[in-house]
Amino acid sequence: IAYVAPLLKPVKFTQNDYLYKISDMIDEMYFVAKGTISFSLSKEFLEKEIKEVKKNNNFGEIEMCLNEKLTYNIKVKSRNCELFVLKKNDFLRLSVNFKEFIEKFLQKSLMLYLRFNDERKRLMKEMENSKLVVNQEGENKNEKNDLDKISEQEEDDQGRDQRVREARRRQPAQGHPGLDRSAERLDRLQPRQP
């Protein structure tokens, strides 16, 4: 601990500050001294929370080692948050000097990360199955589909009304049996208005 303490840099955040967003890459790990951090899905998935990291816990070491883009957001959930940051280069130096300890630490962290990743996938699948996914404009995809269906129905109704009017206009004054029957069928298809 005496070797690590001078390498840690204190940082402060307030509620809803993003530490990282989807597609960012983490190049440091964090120790939570005060507050709560939230890991959440994208806006498409209503920013559903996957997990929380609270005081006296850490995060970021696996993502930092994987060197991959994030598939979730990391932001401050509590009113205030104080973190200690360990840069990647400092972490790598520690891994040389304290190899055995760092290996055990990473093994434990990797197990937690794998559980977290399974939970992230489960939540995404659950939300997709329950159709609680929104598009990029922030609209519920199901609502949009329902609205599209209503619009299409209204367009169909308007088109049918137009065809009925045209058929009646073309109808000879004395009437034509074929046109009369077609117009009657179209009238029956037309919805009754209250």
Side-chain angles (χ1 to χ4, degrees), residues 149-162:
K149 289 175 188 173
I150 291 168
S151 287
E152 289 169 7
Q153 183 65 41
E154 287 173 352
E155 288 173 15
D156 289 347
D157 292 346
Q158 290 170 356
R160 186 174 49 244
D161 293 346
Q162 184 66 30

